[in-house]
Coordinates of all heavy atoms in Angstrom, one line a residue:
L233 N 0.8 -1.2 0.0 CA 0.0 0.0 0.0 C 0.9 1.3 0.0 O 2.1 1.2 0.3 CB -0.9 0.0 1.2 CG -2.0 -1.1 1.3 CD1 -2.6 -1.2 2.7 CD2 -3.1 -0.8 0.2
P234 N 0.3 2.4 -0.4 CA 1.1 3.6 -0.4 C 1.8 3.9 1.0 O 2.9 4.5 1.0 CB 0.1 4.7 -0.7 CG -0.9 4.0 -1.5 CD -1.0 2.6 -0.9
D235 N 1.2 3.5 2.1 CA 1.9 3.7 3.4 C 2.8 2.6 3.8 O 3.3 2.6 4.9 CB 0.8 3.9 4.5 CG 0.0 2.6 4.7 OD1 0.2 1.6 4.0 OD2 -1.1 2.7 5.5
G236 N 3.1 1.7 2.9 CA 4.1 0.6 3.2 C 3.5 -0.6 3.8 O 4.2 -1.6 3.9
K237 N 2.3 -0.6 4.2 CA 1.6 -1.8 4.7 C 1.4 -2.8 3.6 O 1.2 -2.5 2.5 CB 0.3 -1.5 5.5 CG 0.5 -0.6 6.7 CD -0.8 -0.3 7.4 CE -0.6 0.6 8.6 NZ -1.9 1.0 9.2
P238 N 1.2 -4.1 4.0 CA 1.0 -5.2 3.0 C -0.3 -4.9 2.2 O -1.3 -4.5 2.7 CB 1.0 -6.5 3.8 CG 1.7 -6.2 5.0 CD 1.4 -4.7 5.3
L239 N -0.2 -5.2 0.9 CA -1.4 -5.2 0.0 C -1.8 -6.6 -0.3 O -1.1 -7.2 -1.1 CB -1.1 -4.4 -1.2 CG -2.2 -4.4 -2.3 CD1 -3.5 -3.9 -1.8 CD2 -1.7 -3.6 -3.6
V240 N -2.8 -7.0 0.4 CA -3.3 -8.4 0.2 C -4.8 -8.3 -0.1 O -5.6 -7.8 0.7 CB -3.0 -9.3 1.4 CG1 -3.6 -10.7 1.1 CG2 -1.6 -9.4 1.7
L241 N -5.3 -8.8 -1.2 CA -6.7 -8.9 -1.5 C -7.2 -10.3 -1.1 O -6.7 -11.3 -1.4 CB -6.9 -8.7 -3.0 CG -6.4 -7.4 -3.7 CD1 -6.8 -7.3 -5.1 CD2 -6.8 -6.2 -2.9
V242 N -8.3 -10.3 -0.3 CA -8.9 -11.5 0.1 C -10.2 -11.7 -0.6 O -11.2 -10.9 -0.5 CB -9.2 -11.4 1.7 CG1 -9.8 -12.7 2.1 CG2 -7.9 -11.2 2.4
Y243 N -10.3 -12.8 -1.3 CA -11.4 -13.0 -2.2 C -12.1 -14.3 -1.8 O -11.5 -15.4 -1.7 CB -10.9 -13.2 -3.6 CG -12.0 -13.6 -4.6 CD1 -13.0 -12.7 -4.9 CD2 -12.0 -14.8 -5.3 CE1 -14.0 -13.0 -5.9 CE2 -12.9 -15.1 -6.3 CZ -14.0 -14.2 -6.5 OH -14.9 -14.6 -7.5
D244 N -13.4 -14.2 -1.4 CA -14.2 -15.4 -1.0 C -14.7 -16.1 -2.2 O -15.3 -15.5 -3.1 CB -15.3 -14.9 -0.1 CG -14.8 -14.6 1.3 OD1 -14.3 -13.5 1.5 OD2 -15.0 -15.5 2.2
T245 N -14.5 -17.5 -2.2 CA -14.9 -18.3 -3.3 C -15.3 -19.7 -2.9 O -15.4 -20.0 -1.7 CB -13.7 -18.3 -4.3 OG1 -14.1 -19.0 -5.5 CG2 -12.5 -19.0 -3.7
L246 N -15.6 -20.5 -3.8 CA -16.0 -21.9 -3.6 C -14.9 -22.9 -4.0 O -14.1 -22.6 -4.8 CB -17.3 -22.2 -4.3 CG -18.5 -21.3 -4.0 CD1 -19.7 -21.7 -4.8 CD2 -18.9 -21.3 -2.5
S247 N -15.1 -24.1 -3.6 CA -14.0 -25.1 -3.8 C -14.3 -25.9 -5.1 O -13.4 -26.7 -5.5 CB -13.9 -26.1 -2.7 OG -15.2 -26.8 -2.5
A248 N -15.5 -25.7 -5.8 CA -15.8 -26.5 -6.9 C -14.8 -26.3 -8.1 O -14.2 -25.2 -8.2 CB -17.2 -26.1 -7.4
A249 N -14.7 -27.3 -8.9 CA -13.6 -27.3 -9.9 C -13.8 -26.1 -10.9 O -12.8 -25.5 -11.3 CB -13.6 -28.6 -10.7
D250 N -15.0 -25.7 -11.3 CA -15.2 -24.6 -12.2 C -14.8 -23.3 -11.6 O -14.2 -22.5 -12.2 CB -16.6 -24.6 -12.8 CG -17.7 -24.7 -11.7 OD1 -17.3 -25.0 -10.5 OD2 -18.8 -24.4 -12.0
Y251 N -15.1 -23.2 -10.3 CA -14.6 -22.0 -9.6 C -13.1 -21.9 -9.5 O -12.5 -20.9 -9.7 CB -15.2 -21.9 -8.2 CG -16.6 -21.4 -8.1 CD1 -17.7 -22.2 -8.5 CD2 -16.9 -20.0 -7.8 CE1 -19.0 -21.7 -8.4 CE2 -18.1 -19.5 -7.7 CZ -19.2 -20.3 -8.1 OH -20.5 -19.8 -8.0
R252 N -12.5 -23.0 -9.2 CA -11.0 -23.1 -9.1 C -10.3 -22.7 -10.4 O -9.4 -21.9 -10.4 CB -10.6 -24.5 -8.8 CG -10.9 -24.9 -7.3 CD -10.0 -26.1 -6.9 NE -10.3 -27.3 -7.7 CZ -11.2 -28.2 -7.5 NH1 -12.0 -28.1 -6.5 NH2 -11.2 -29.3 -8.3
E253 N -10.9 -23.1 -11.5 CA -10.3 -22.7 -12.8 C -10.4 -21.2 -13.1 O -9.5 -20.6 -13.6 CB -10.9 -23.5 -13.9 CG -10.5 -25.0 -13.8 CD -10.7 -25.7 -15.2 OE1 -10.6 -25.1 -16.2 OE2 -11.0 -26.9 -15.1
R254 N -11.6 -20.6 -12.8 CA -11.8 -19.2 -13.0 C -10.8 -18.4 -12.0 O -10.3 -17.4 -12.3 CB -13.2 -18.8 -12.7 CG -14.1 -19.3 -13.9 CD -15.5 -18.6 -13.8 NE -16.3 -19.0 -12.7 CZ -17.2 -19.9 -12.6 NH1 -17.4 -20.7 -13.7 NH2 -17.9 -20.1 -11.5
D255 N -10.8 -18.9 -10.8 CA -9.9 -18.2 -9.8 C -8.4 -18.3 -10.2 O -7.7 -17.4 -9.9 CB -10.1 -18.9 -8.4 CG -11.5 -18.6 -7.8 OD1 -12.2 -17.8 -8.3 OD2 -11.9 -19.3 -6.9
E256 N -8.1 -19.4 -10.8 CA -6.7 -19.5 -11.2 C -6.4 -18.5 -12.3 O -5.2 -17.9 -12.3 CB -6.4 -20.9 -11.8 CG -5.0 -21.2 -12.2 CD -4.8 -22.6 -12.8 OE1 -5.6 -23.5 -12.5 OE2 -3.8 -22.8 -13.5
V257 N -7.3 -18.2 -13.2 CA -7.0 -17.2 -14.2 C -6.9 -15.8 -13.5 O -6.0 -15.0 -13.8 CB -8.2 -17.1 -15.2 CG1 -8.1 -15.9 -16.1 CG2 -8.2 -18.4 -16.1
M258 N -7.8 -15.5 -12.6 CA -7.7 -14.3 -11.9 C -6.4 -14.1 -11.1 O -5.8 -13.1 -11.1 CB -8.9 -14.1 -10.9 CG -8.9 -12.9 -10.1 SD -10.5 -12.6 -9.2 CE -10.4 -14.0 -8.1
K259 N -6.0 -15.2 -10.4 CA -4.8 -15.1 -9.6 C -3.6 -14.9 -10.5 O -2.7 -14.0 -10.2 CB -4.6 -16.4 -8.8 CG -3.5 -16.3 -7.8 CD -3.4 -17.5 -6.9 CE -2.4 -17.2 -5.7 NZ -1.1 -16.6 -6.2
K260 N -3.5 -15.5 -11.7 CA -2.4 -15.3 -12.6 C -2.4 -13.8 -13.1 O -1.4 -13.2 -13.3 CB -2.5 -16.3 -13.8 CG -2.1 -17.7 -13.4 CD -2.1 -18.6 -14.6 CE -1.7 -20.0 -14.3 NZ -1.8 -20.9 -15.4
N261 N -3.6 -13.4 -13.4 CA -3.7 -12.0 -13.8 C -3.2 -11.0 -12.8 O -2.5 -10.0 -13.1 CB -5.2 -11.6 -14.1 CG -5.8 -12.3 -15.4 OD1 -7.0 -12.3 -15.5 ND2 -4.9 -12.7 -16.3
L262 N -3.5 -11.2 -11.5 CA -3.0 -10.3 -10.4 C -1.6 -10.5 -10.1 O -0.9 -9.6 -9.8 CB -3.9 -10.4 -9.2 CG -5.4 -10.0 -9.4 CD1 -6.2 -10.0 -8.1 CD2 -5.5 -8.6 -10.1
D263 N -1.1 -11.8 -10.2 CA 0.3 -12.0 -10.0 C 1.1 -11.2 -11.0 O 2.2 -10.7 -10.7 CB 0.6 -13.5 -10.3 CG 0.2 -14.4 -9.1 OD1 -0.2 -13.8 -8.0 OD2 0.3 -15.6 -9.2
A264 N 0.6 -11.1 -12.2 CA 1.3 -10.4 -13.3 C 1.5 -8.9 -13.0 O 2.4 -8.3 -13.6 CB 0.6 -10.6 -14.6
I265 N 0.7 -8.3 -12.1 CA 0.9 -6.9 -11.8 C 1.4 -6.8 -10.4 O 1.4 -5.6 -9.8 CB -0.4 -6.1 -12.0 CG1 -1.6 -6.6 -11.1 CG2 -0.8 -6.1 -13.5 CD1 -2.8 -5.7 -11.1
G266 N 1.8 -7.9 -9.8 CA 2.4 -7.8 -8.4 C 1.5 -7.6 -7.3 O 1.9 -7.1 -6.2
I267 N 0.2 -8.0 -7.4 CA -0.8 -7.9 -6.3 C -1.0 -9.3 -5.8 O -1.4 -10.3 -6.6 CB -2.1 -7.3 -6.8 CG1 -1.8 -5.8 -7.0 CG2 -3.1 -7.4 -5.7 CD1 -3.0 -5.0 -7.4
K268 N -0.9 -9.5 -4.5 CA -1.1 -10.8 -3.8 C -2.6 -11.0 -3.6 O -3.3 -10.2 -3.1 CB -0.3 -10.9 -2.5 CG -0.4 -12.2 -1.9 CD 0.4 -12.3 -0.6 CE 1.9 -12.2 -0.8 NZ 2.7 -12.3 0.4
L269 N -3.1 -12.2 -4.0 CA -4.5 -12.5 -3.9 C -4.6 -13.8 -3.0 O -3.9 -14.8 -3.2 CB -5.1 -12.9 -5.3 CG -6.6 -13.3 -5.2 CD1 -7.5 -12.1 -4.8 CD2 -7.0 -13.8 -6.6
E270 N -5.4 -13.7 -2.0 CA -5.7 -14.8 -1.0 C -7.1 -15.3 -1.3 O -8.0 -14.5 -1.2 CB -5.5 -14.3 0.4 CG -5.8 -15.4 1.4 CD -5.7 -14.9 2.9 OE1 -4.7 -14.2 3.2 OE2 -6.6 -15.1 3.7
L271 N -7.2 -16.6 -1.6 CA -8.5 -17.2 -1.8 C -9.0 -17.8 -0.5 O -8.3 -18.7 0.0 CB -8.4 -18.3 -2.9 CG -7.9 -17.7 -4.3 CD1 -7.7 -18.9 -5.3 CD2 -8.9 -16.7 -4.9
R272 N -10.2 -17.4 -0.2 CA -10.8 -18.0 1.1 C -12.0 -18.8 0.7 O -13.0 -18.3 0.2 CB -11.2 -16.8 2.0 CG -11.7 -17.3 3.4 CD -11.6 -16.1 4.4 NE -12.5 -15.1 4.0 CZ -12.6 -13.9 4.6 NH1 -11.8 -13.6 5.6 NH2 -13.4 -13.0 4.2
I273 N -11.9 -20.1 1.0 CA -12.9 -21.1 0.5 C -14.0 -21.2 1.6 O -13.7 -21.2 2.8 CB -12.3 -22.5 0.3 CG1 -11.1 -22.4 -0.6 CG2 -13.3 -23.4 -0.3 CD1 -11.4 -21.9 -2.0
G274 N -15.2 -21.2 1.1 CA -16.4 -21.3 2.0 C -17.6 -21.9 1.3 O -17.5 -22.5 0.2
K275 N -18.7 -21.8 1.9 CA -20.0 -22.3 1.4 C -20.8 -21.1 0.9 O -20.9 -20.0 1.6 CB -20.8 -23.1 2.5 CG -20.1 -24.4 2.9 CD -20.1 -25.4 1.7 CE -19.6 -26.7 2.2 NZ -19.6 -27.8 1.1
W276 N -21.5 -21.3 -0.2 CA -22.2 -20.2 -0.8 C -23.3 -19.5 0.1 O -23.3 -18.3 0.2 CB -22.9 -20.6 -2.1 CG -23.3 -19.5 -2.9 CD1 -22.5 -18.8 -3.9 CD2 -24.6 -18.8 -3.0 NE1 -23.2 -17.8 -4.5 CE2 -24.5 -17.8 -3.9 CE3 -25.8 -19.0 -2.3 CZ2 -25.6 -16.9 -4.2 CZ3 -26.8 -18.2 -2.5 CH2 -26.7 -17.1 -3.5
P277 N -24.2 -20.2 0.8 CA -25.2 -19.6 1.6 C -24.6 -18.7 2.7 O -25.1 -17.6 3.0 CB -26.0 -20.8 2.2 CG -25.8 -21.9 1.3 CD -24.4 -21.7 0.8

């Protein structure tokens, strides 16, 4: 972050295979610009 603190994006998602593949694309996209993405797996409801 501009103040020097860690920049970590936390994204809530599901464990299903189709979600994993979409999340993988997103993570690679953000890796490419140097932003760390943390995927937090949960249940939709």
Side-chain angles (χ1 to χ4, degrees):
L233 292 166
D235 62 6
K237 293 179 181 178
L239 171 56
V240 180
L241 304 187
V242 180
Y243 177 66
D244 282 80
T245 186
L246 304 179
S247 62
D250 49 350
Y251 277 80
R252 290 198 300 269
E253 293 199 29
R254 290 195 293 265
D255 294 344
E256 183 179 339
V257 170
M258 178 171 63
K259 190 173 189 314
K260 286 181 177 178
N261 288 163
L262 296 186
D263 285 351
I265 62 169
I267 289 183
K268 184 180 292 187
L269 177 68
E270 177 183 312
L271 299 174
R272 188 163 60 188
I273 308 299
K275 294 290 186 180
W276 196 88

